[in-house]
PDB file of all heavy atoms in Angstrom:
ATOM      1  N   ILE A 540     -36.723  17.618  35.551  1.00  0.00           N
ATOM      2  CA  ILE A 540     -36.733  16.742  34.381  1.00  0.00           C
ATOM      3  C   ILE A 540     -37.814  17.153  33.395  1.00  0.00           C
ATOM      4  O   ILE A 540     -37.624  17.064  32.177  1.00  0.00           O
ATOM      5  CB  ILE A 540     -36.911  15.270  34.815  1.00  0.00           C
ATOM      6  CG1 ILE A 540     -36.773  14.336  33.604  1.00  0.00           C
ATOM      7  CG2 ILE A 540     -38.244  15.044  35.504  1.00  0.00           C
ATOM      8  CD1 ILE A 540     -35.413  14.351  32.971  1.00  0.00           C
ATOM      9  N   ALA A 541     -38.953  17.646  33.897  1.00  0.00           N
ATOM     10  CA  ALA A 541     -40.021  18.091  32.988  1.00  0.00           C
ATOM     11  C   ALA A 541     -39.546  19.241  32.113  1.00  0.00           C
ATOM     12  O   ALA A 541     -39.870  19.311  30.923  1.00  0.00           O
ATOM     13  CB  ALA A 541     -41.252  18.507  33.794  1.00  0.00           C
ATOM     14  N   THR A 542     -38.754  20.139  32.687  1.00  0.00           N
ATOM     15  CA  THR A 542     -38.221  21.269  31.927  1.00  0.00           C
ATOM     16  C   THR A 542     -37.321  20.785  30.801  1.00  0.00           C
ATOM     17  O   THR A 542     -37.402  21.259  29.670  1.00  0.00           O
ATOM     18  CB  THR A 542     -37.431  22.209  32.863  1.00  0.00           C
ATOM     19  OG1 THR A 542     -38.221  22.522  33.997  1.00  0.00           O
ATOM     20  CG2 THR A 542     -37.031  23.474  32.142  1.00  0.00           C
ATOM     21  N   ILE A 543     -36.459  19.825  31.121  1.00  0.00           N
ATOM     22  CA  ILE A 543     -35.532  19.302  30.113  1.00  0.00           C
ATOM     23  C   ILE A 543     -36.294  18.610  28.990  1.00  0.00           C
ATOM     24  O   ILE A 543     -35.997  18.799  27.803  1.00  0.00           O
ATOM     25  CB  ILE A 543     -34.528  18.338  30.764  1.00  0.00           C
ATOM     26  CG1 ILE A 543     -33.737  19.052  31.864  1.00  0.00           C
ATOM     27  CG2 ILE A 543     -33.569  17.776  29.729  1.00  0.00           C
ATOM     28  CD1 ILE A 543     -32.858  18.133  32.691  1.00  0.00           C
ATOM     29  N   ILE A 544     -37.302  17.815  29.351  1.00  0.00           N
ATOM     30  CA  ILE A 544     -38.089  17.108  28.335  1.00  0.00           C
ATOM     31  C   ILE A 544     -38.839  18.096  27.451  1.00  0.00           C
ATOM     32  O   ILE A 544     -38.926  17.929  26.228  1.00  0.00           O
ATOM     33  CB  ILE A 544     -39.078  16.124  28.998  1.00  0.00           C
ATOM     34  CG1 ILE A 544     -38.334  15.057  29.808  1.00  0.00           C
ATOM     35  CG2 ILE A 544     -39.959  15.466  27.954  1.00  0.00           C
ATOM     36  CD1 ILE A 544     -37.448  14.159  28.994  1.00  0.00           C
ATOM     37  N   ILE A 545     -39.368  19.150  28.056  1.00  0.00           N
ATOM     38  CA  ILE A 545     -40.097  20.161  27.271  1.00  0.00           C
ATOM     39  C   ILE A 545     -39.150  20.877  26.321  1.00  0.00           C
ATOM     40  O   ILE A 545     -39.488  21.165  25.167  1.00  0.00           O
ATOM     41  CB  ILE A 545     -40.810  21.156  28.209  1.00  0.00           C
ATOM     42  CG1 ILE A 545     -41.998  20.459  28.890  1.00  0.00           C
ATOM     43  CG2 ILE A 545     -41.293  22.379  27.451  1.00  0.00           C
ATOM     44  CD1 ILE A 545     -42.712  21.292  29.905  1.00  0.00           C
ATOM     45  N   GLU A 546     -37.925  21.155  26.773  1.00  0.00           N
ATOM     46  CA  GLU A 546     -36.935  21.777  25.888  1.00  0.00           C
ATOM     47  C   GLU A 546     -36.627  20.861  24.707  1.00  0.00           C
ATOM     48  O   GLU A 546     -36.505  21.320  23.562  1.00  0.00           O
ATOM     49  CB  GLU A 546     -35.660  22.085  26.669  1.00  0.00           C
ATOM     50  CG  GLU A 546     -35.778  23.297  27.580  1.00  0.00           C
ATOM     51  CD  GLU A 546     -34.486  23.593  28.304  1.00  0.00           C
ATOM     52  OE1 GLU A 546     -33.520  22.812  28.160  1.00  0.00           O
ATOM     53  OE2 GLU A 546     -34.431  24.589  29.027  1.00  0.00           O
ATOM     54  N   LEU A 547     -36.479  19.571  24.974  1.00  0.00           N
ATOM     55  CA  LEU A 547     -36.271  18.627  23.877  1.00  0.00           C
ATOM     56  C   LEU A 547     -37.461  18.640  22.911  1.00  0.00           C
ATOM     57  O   LEU A 547     -37.300  18.464  21.701  1.00  0.00           O
ATOM     58  CB  LEU A 547     -36.067  17.213  24.432  1.00  0.00           C
ATOM     59  CG  LEU A 547     -34.711  16.901  25.067  1.00  0.00           C
ATOM     60  CD1 LEU A 547     -34.751  15.564  25.802  1.00  0.00           C
ATOM     61  CD2 LEU A 547     -33.605  16.880  24.021  1.00  0.00           C
ATOM     62  N   GLY A 548     -38.657  18.856  23.468  1.00  0.00           N
ATOM     63  CA  GLY A 548     -39.863  18.884  22.648  1.00  0.00           C
ATOM     64  C   GLY A 548     -39.947  20.064  21.703  1.00  0.00           C
ATOM     65  O   GLY A 548     -40.772  20.061  20.774  1.00  0.00           O
ATOM     66  N   PHE A 549     -39.096  21.081  21.899  1.00  0.00           N
ATOM     67  CA  PHE A 549     -39.084  22.221  20.979  1.00  0.00           C
ATOM     68  C   PHE A 549     -38.685  21.794  19.566  1.00  0.00           C
ATOM     69  O   PHE A 549     -38.939  22.510  18.601  1.00  0.00           O
ATOM     70  CB  PHE A 549     -38.105  23.303  21.465  1.00  0.00           C
ATOM     71  CG  PHE A 549     -38.588  24.038  22.692  1.00  0.00           C
ATOM     72  CD1 PHE A 549     -37.688  24.650  23.548  1.00  0.00           C
ATOM     73  CD2 PHE A 549     -39.933  24.111  22.997  1.00  0.00           C
ATOM     74  CE1 PHE A 549     -38.116  25.323  24.680  1.00  0.00           C
ATOM     75  CE2 PHE A 549     -40.372  24.776  24.121  1.00  0.00           C
ATOM     76  CZ  PHE A 549     -39.462  25.389  24.963  1.00  0.00           C
ATOM     77  N   GLN A 550     -38.027  20.625  19.444  1.00  0.00           N
ATOM     78  CA  GLN A 550     -37.604  20.149  18.121  1.00  0.00           C
ATOM     79  C   GLN A 550     -38.774  19.646  17.281  1.00  0.00           C
ATOM     80  O   GLN A 550     -38.666  19.533  16.069  1.00  0.00           O
ATOM     81  CB  GLN A 550     -36.604  18.996  18.281  1.00  0.00           C
ATOM     82  CG  GLN A 550     -35.384  19.310  19.113  1.00  0.00           C
ATOM     83  CD  GLN A 550     -34.565  18.064  19.380  1.00  0.00           C
ATOM     84  OE1 GLN A 550     -33.826  17.595  18.513  1.00  0.00           O
ATOM     85  NE2 GLN A 550     -34.708  17.511  20.564  1.00  0.00           N
ATOM     86  N   ILE A 551     -39.875  19.310  17.939  1.00  0.00           N
ATOM     87  CA  ILE A 551     -41.000  18.699  17.230  1.00  0.00           C
ATOM     88  C   ILE A 551     -41.676  19.730  16.329  1.00  0.00           C
ATOM     89  O   ILE A 551     -42.065  20.806  16.781  1.00  0.00           O
ATOM     90  CB  ILE A 551     -42.016  18.108  18.218  1.00  0.00           C
ATOM     91  CG1 ILE A 551     -41.336  17.029  19.074  1.00  0.00           C
ATOM     92  CG2 ILE A 551     -43.203  17.509  17.487  1.00  0.00           C
ATOM     93  CD1 ILE A 551     -42.221  16.460  20.148  1.00  0.00           C
TER      94      ILE A 551
END
Side-chain angles (χ1 to χ4, degrees):
I540 186 64
T542 309
I543 301 172
I544 299 297
I545 289 176
E546 284 182 356
L547 285 169
F549 289 155
Q550 304 172 78
I551 300 176

